[in-house]
Amino acid sequence: MRIGELAAQTGTTKDTIRFYEKIGLVSGRRLDNGYRDFPPETVMWLHYVRTAQTLGFSLAEIARTGEALREAPDTAEALSALFEEKIHVVDARMAELAALRVELSNRVGTGCPLRPVHQSP
């Protein structure tokens, strides 16, 4: 299928698909007239990419794990493992953000909020 049809079926733009092609997330072949031609399974893959992005996965993570998922004997089990890993990353980031919030709160109303805050013993 041509890039315009692929874009329409997946709700993405042609530019996005071209970018995905450039970074290796999708691949199409060039026809003699220069048009891109993508296999039909690219529709499902692009829906997966968009869903994975909404779940917090970066394009690099999607590219890295996509091939492994296609090869996995049990995709649901492999996806669950990825989700568990992502939950740990989210939990760690939430802890970092909570600590940052405390640090920022401690600096509110100080003479110079960018100086190091010395803790009293």
Side-chain angles (χ1 to χ4, degrees):
M1 91 179 45
R2 292 204 181 136
I3 194 168
E5 183 181 355
L6 181 59
Q9 286 190 26
T10 59
T12 58
T13 65
K14 293 177 192 177
D15 287 339
T16 298
I17 295 169
R18 287 183 193 105
F19 176 72
Y20 289 170
E21 187 176 30
K22 182 179 178 180
I23 64 171
L25 273 178
V26 297
S27 60
R29 64 185 178 94
R30 289 287 185 159
L31 301 175
D32 291 338
N33 60 7
Y35 291 153
R36 290 172 172 87
D37 183 50
F38 295 91
E41 60 270 10
T42 308
V43 172
M44 192 167 122
W45 172 244
L46 286 180
H47 286 301
Y48 168 81
V49 168
R50 292 190 67 185
T51 301
Q53 283 184 294
T54 63
L55 292 173
F57 289 89
S58 69
L59 290 177
E61 289 172 316
I62 295 166
R64 187 172 52 251
T65 59
E67 198 59 41
L69 287 175
R70 289 184 194 137
E71 306 285 323
D74 184 348
T75 305
E77 186 177 313
L79 278 172
S80 291
L82 283 175
F83 294 160
E84 287 290 333
E85 288 175 29
K86 194 61 165 180
I87 289 168
H88 292 298
V89 169
V90 168
D91 287 345
R93 184 66 179 138
M94 288 173 61
E96 290 170 6
L97 289 171
L100 176 59
R101 187 184 193 294
V102 167
E103 181 68 22
L104 291 169
S105 293
N106 289 341
R107 291 172 180 265
V108 170
T110 63
C112 182
L114 296 179
R115 286 194 185 136
V117 176
H118 298 287
Q119 303 284 331
S120 302

